[in-house]
Amino acid sequence: MCGWVHRKRNHGGIIFIDLRDYTGLVQIVFDPNDIKIYKIAKIIRNEFCLQIIGKVCSRPNKTNNTNLISGNIEILCRELKILNSSITLPFQIDEKNILEVTNLKYRVLYLRYKHMQKNLRLRYKVTMEVRKFLDSKKFIEIETPILSKSTPEGARDYLVPSRINPGEFFALPQSPQLFKQLLMVANFDRYYQITKCFRDEDLRSDRQPEFTQIDCETSFMNEEEIRNLFEEMIRVIFYKTLNIKLPNPFPVIEWSTAIKLYGSDKPDMCIKLIFTDLTNIMKDSDFKLFSKIANMKNGRIIGLKIPGGFSISRNEINYYTQFVKTYGAKGLTYIKIHKISKEFDGLKSPIIKYFNNLILEKIINKTEAQNGDIIFLGGDEKNIVNNFMSALRIKIGYSDFGKRNNILNNKWHPLWVINFPMFKYDKINNNWIARHHPFTAPKDGYEDFIITNPEKIFSKAYDLIINGWEIGGGSIRIHDAEIQKKIFKVLNIDNKIVKTQFGFLLNSLKYGAPPHGGIAFGLDRLITIMTGSKSIRDVIAFPKTQSAQCLLTNAPSIVDEKQLNELNILYKKTKN
């Protein structure tokens, strides 16, 4: 056997080690009567790399370890070879609460952790099942370029200077979007690729500057057919790798319903809480703050009923109030329901004096509140209130209270969200932007209104959500060059830029481009939720920090002037 010393113990002169390889641990015994081997065993320390030849024996009575697959046996060492020693480790393997900066700096050691071994091996199994499934459906894997053209797809590009063409740059792909569309024009009806993508953007726990995408495209299929096909793929993956049976079929809701009930286009359906829109009820309220918001053009008042929430303490309410402020809320109020009566004297709230009995009756009826509940109330411009009330819903759902009161259902809840608006308005830049990307097709019948009424156009887009994580997104693409030109016009992309950056696409669409569509799954996110990890960094072998640095290799790093001169690059030094 070959492996690493996980632990070493000395019991009454007999030395034991737990030898570790990728399959687990096994106990090795060193007999003090075997002087030569015992002498070597005495100098062994944790993480030494060893080769063992020995005799497999049953463990002595009452010494079995039921926590190990090998817990009924041990190996009596007959030959021992130290393949390599190890210096003192900065932390012990399987030590808990390692600082992330430490595990990223000493990533090679951290990858020896049991959960990291498990995560990366599951990642491999998932990609294997993806390939098997797509191969069975007649998809073929085709590699698309890594060095390509910079195009405005939303996030910043990583640029690569060209030495041979001074002053010109390649861009690393944010996705293979345009190339996979070109493959459809080229008569490759079913394409897939498990590929690296790159985005120079601000990072969060579910983002990395480089990430892996399961990228798929197909011709001659509509939205529902594509959803059904890849829903089947996800079900197969979960069953084959985790022995989990996901629902069949997945629920489907429209984007507008998701926003109305959950305030988010990626709602976490593990949580049994929904919003109640109280905007119209509050228009004639004497509570001036709410009445002002309710009468705003884009204002919204949301009620979030929490069953059994009367027991939530004042300190907890204060905590939730401060919590929502981090999401842009100006405040949060509530109505506690001790007992519903005709005069509503069983209600407790700091703002109840501003509501007459008719308004209180409407609030109780619309939220379907019962004795012992609490209703949290939030109001603001729609996007703001949806954001902070959605965060509150999740916070309460995953709290100890939510778990105790059956508000949280920790099963798997996949969900398709469909019928997205085509565009959203960027107030900062005073411009329309694509909600998905500029190549998403509008719903049939809307083509003539793209220029005149962009706010009313809906797209043939669909996102797959599992337990509040967007793991996949796709759409039917535009295969008509004239419609694509209209989209560019709405997005205020100059004709010169269109010709320079997208001319190759528009020209290709003119050669009998078929109707086509596809989807891309974030492999890192998918493995994160499948393993129950808190961050995608726990399912990537060598991830970057939130400042896009690799602490293991100290990248990015300064390069010498000779390299810069070869690339015709001058850079501006900044003060630290």
Side-chain angles (χ1 to χ4, degrees):
M1 298 190 67
C2 297
W4 288 264
V5 176
H6 191 67
R7 291 185 187 86
K8 177 182 175 182
R9 305 180 301 281
N10 193 324
H11 291 170
I14 300 176
I15 294 174
F16 298 88
I17 68 164
D18 292 328
L19 194 69
R20 184 188 71 243
D21 69 3
Y22 76 92
T23 64
L25 302 175
V26 65
Q27 180 170 279
I28 313 295
V29 183
F30 299 92
D31 187 347
N33 294 319
D34 193 332
I35 298 173
K36 181 179 178 181
I37 290 178
Y38 193 79
K39 184 178 180 181
I40 300 173
K42 288 173 70 176
I43 67 171
I44 289 173
R45 296 197 305 270
N46 286 0
E47 300 308 308
F48 273 38
C49 187
L50 306 180
Q51 183 183 81
I52 299 279
I53 295 176
K55 181 182 179 182
V56 179
C57 308
S58 295
R59 289 200 185 192
N61 191 30
K62 296 183 180 181
T63 64
N64 293 359
N65 186 344
T66 57
N67 294 322
L68 296 179
I69 295 174
S70 63
N72 292 325
I73 60 100
E74 61 187 15
I75 297 176
L76 181 61
C77 185
R78 299 299 193 198
E79 296 182 27
L80 170 62
K81 184 178 182 180
I82 297 177
L83 299 176
N84 212 337
S85 60
S86 172
I87 62 173
T88 302
L89 275 62
F91 52 84
Q92 294 303 311
I93 304 303
D94 281 352
E95 181 181 331
K96 295 181 179 180
N97 301 320
I98 300 295
L99 292 175
E100 188 166 61
V101 65
T102 303
N103 87 49
L104 292 175
K105 182 177 180 180
Y106 299 98
R107 193 65 175 181
V108 174
L109 294 177
Y110 194 69
L111 287 175
R112 294 181 182 179
Y113 270 56
K114 182 178 179 180
H115 78 276
M116 292 301 298
Q117 292 277 319
K118 180 181 177 182
N119 290 354
L120 294 184
R121 293 183 189 282
L122 177 66
R123 185 183 178 112
Y124 158 71
K125 290 179 182 177
V126 167
T127 57
M128 183 174 65
E129 293 300 333
V130 166
R131 286 193 165 94
K132 285 163 60 177
F133 177 87
L134 293 174
D135 290 346
S136 74
K137 300 296 182 180
K138 310 303 180 187
F139 282 74
I140 63 169
E141 186 166 16
I142 302 176
E143 295 174 339
T144 54
I146 293 296
L147 295 177
S148 186
K149 190 179 186 67
S150 179
T151 57
E153 291 189 44
R156 299 182 191 91
D157 285 327
Y158 277 100
L159 299 177
V160 180
S162 171
R163 178 183 60 83
I164 297 173
N165 301 285
E168 297 182 352
F169 294 81
F170 295 105
L172 302 183
Q174 294 185 33
S175 79
Q177 181 62 45
L178 297 182
F179 284 105
K180 67 180 179 180
Q181 288 189 243
L182 296 178
L183 286 170
M184 297 303 103
V185 181
N187 195 30
F188 293 96
D189 289 3
R190 295 192 171 197
Y191 139 96
Y192 81 95
Q193 185 181 188
I194 299 177
T195 183
K196 282 285 189 182
C197 300
F198 307 85
R199 293 180 186 173
D200 187 5
E201 59 184 349
D202 297 332
L203 305 178
R204 300 195 294 269
S205 63
D206 62 345
R207 299 280 176 90
Q208 280 279 292
E210 55 178 310
F211 56 96
T212 305
Q213 197 163 280
I214 305 169
D215 200 59
C216 310
E217 198 80 2
T218 182
S219 296
F220 311 115
M221 295 180 74
N222 62 31
E223 298 168 71
E224 186 174 357
E225 289 168 333
I226 292 174
R227 292 202 313 265
N228 289 342
L229 175 64
F230 289 101
E231 175 179 316
E232 181 186 353
M233 185 183 83
I234 295 299
R235 270 196 298 271
V236 168
I237 288 170
F238 270 75
Y239 183 69
K240 290 290 184 68
T241 61
L242 297 179
N243 198 31
I244 289 172
K245 291 184 178 181
L246 295 179
N248 185 9
F250 292 174
V252 180
I253 66 171
E254 295 198 4
W255 175 86
S256 58
T257 303
I259 298 299
K260 178 183 177 182
L261 296 181
Y262 310 105
S264 170
D265 57 8
K266 46 179 183 292
D268 188 340
M269 305 305 286
C270 294
I271 301 166
K272 304 175 187 178
L273 299 175
I274 61 172
F275 291 173
T276 303
D277 195 300
L278 303 176
T279 309
N280 288 334
I281 293 174
M282 296 297 180
K283 284 185 176 180
D284 297 323
S285 164
D286 289 333
F287 187 46
K288 297 301 181 184
L289 176 61
F290 275 5
S291 61
K292 180 181 177 181
I293 293 171
N295 286 286
M296 284 168 43
K297 180 182 177 181
N298 214 26
R300 188 183 188 195
I301 312 292
I302 292 172
L304 181 63
K305 181 194 72 174
I306 313 297
F310 190 86
S311 62
I312 295 176
S313 69
R314 181 63 192 173
N315 284 340
E316 289 174 302
I317 292 172
N318 290 339
Y319 169 76
Y320 290 135
T321 302
Q322 294 304 312
F323 170 76
V324 296
K325 286 181 179 180
T326 65
Y327 287 84
K330 297 180 181 67
L332 182 71
T333 191
Y334 63 92
I335 299 174
K336 277 191 167 187
I337 304 166
H338 175 61
K339 184 177 181 182
I340 300 172
S341 63
K342 187 175 182 181
E343 297 301 322
F344 297 102
D345 52 0
L347 309 184
K348 293 177 62 177
S349 170
I351 60 170
I352 201 168
K353 59 186 177 183
Y354 299 107
F355 299 145
N356 59 42
N357 284 358
L358 180 60
I359 288 180
L360 289 173
E361 182 179 1
K362 288 180 178 179
I363 293 172
I364 298 297
N365 289 341
K366 196 163 186 183
T367 59
E368 299 182 355
Q370 304 292 322
N371 294 341
D373 295 347
I374 188 173
I375 305 168
F376 284 104
L377 303 168
D380 211 312
E381 186 271 326
K382 282 183 180 178
N383 289 336
I384 295 173
V385 70
N386 286 337
N387 191 35
F388 74 73
M389 290 299 282
S390 174
L392 178 65
R393 174 180 176 269
I394 293 170
K395 190 72 173 176
I396 293 174
Y398 282 95
S399 68
D400 290 339
F401 171 87
K403 294 171 184 175
R404 286 196 311 268
N405 287 269
N406 199 32
I407 290 172
L408 183 67
N409 179 351
N410 264 329
K411 294 182 180 179
W412 295 97
H413 295 276
L415 176 75
W416 287 107
V417 179
I418 64 171
N419 292 346
F420 286 82
M422 187 88 172
F423 307 103
K424 57 182 177 181
Y425 197 73
D426 182 356
K427 292 180 180 179
I428 296 175
N429 296 307
N430 196 30
N431 192 29
W432 290 103
I433 58 176
R435 191 172 285 273
H436 275 74
H437 56 61
F439 318 107
T440 299
K443 287 285 188 181
D444 295 337
Y446 285 97
E447 296 89 348
D448 294 335
F449 306 102
I450 293 172
I451 304 283
T452 56
N453 291 296
E455 72 277 7
K456 295 182 179 179
I457 308 298
F458 286 83
S459 67
K460 295 181 179 180
Y462 34 83
D463 284 355
L464 180 59
I465 315 300
I466 299 182
N467 295 7
W469 288 64
E470 178 194 333
I471 65 158
S475 67
I476 301 299
R477 323 302 186 187
I478 298 168
H479 68 280
D480 185 316
E482 294 306 312
I483 293 177
Q484 186 65 73
K485 288 179 184 178
K486 289 182 179 180
I487 299 298
F488 289 148
K489 187 172 182 179
V490 172
L491 298 175
N492 200 27
I493 301 176
D494 183 82
N495 286 335
K496 185 177 179 181
I497 295 176
V498 168
K499 186 176 180 180
T500 302
Q501 297 190 334
F502 301 109
F504 67 94
L505 171 67
L506 294 174
N507 289 334
S508 298
L509 294 179
K510 295 175 183 177
Y511 294 108
H516 59 279
I519 192 168
F521 296 95
L523 178 64
D524 309 303
R525 288 187 186 181
L526 178 60
I527 305 302
T528 300
I529 67 165
M530 292 177 77
T531 58
S533 300
K534 294 181 179 180
S535 166
I536 62 172
R537 287 187 285 277
D538 283 339
V539 301
I540 299 172
F542 301 104
K544 306 292 190 294
T545 66
Q546 288 196 343
S547 57
Q549 294 175 301
C550 175
L551 300 183
L552 176 66
T553 63
N554 290 321
S557 58
I558 295 172
V559 298
D560 61 40
E561 287 193 20
K562 181 181 177 182
Q563 288 177 281
L564 294 176
N565 290 336
E566 286 178 339
L567 296 169
N568 298 283
I569 289 178
L570 293 174
Y571 72 94
K572 182 170 63 177
K573 292 184 178 180
T574 57
K575 294 181 180 180
N576 292 330

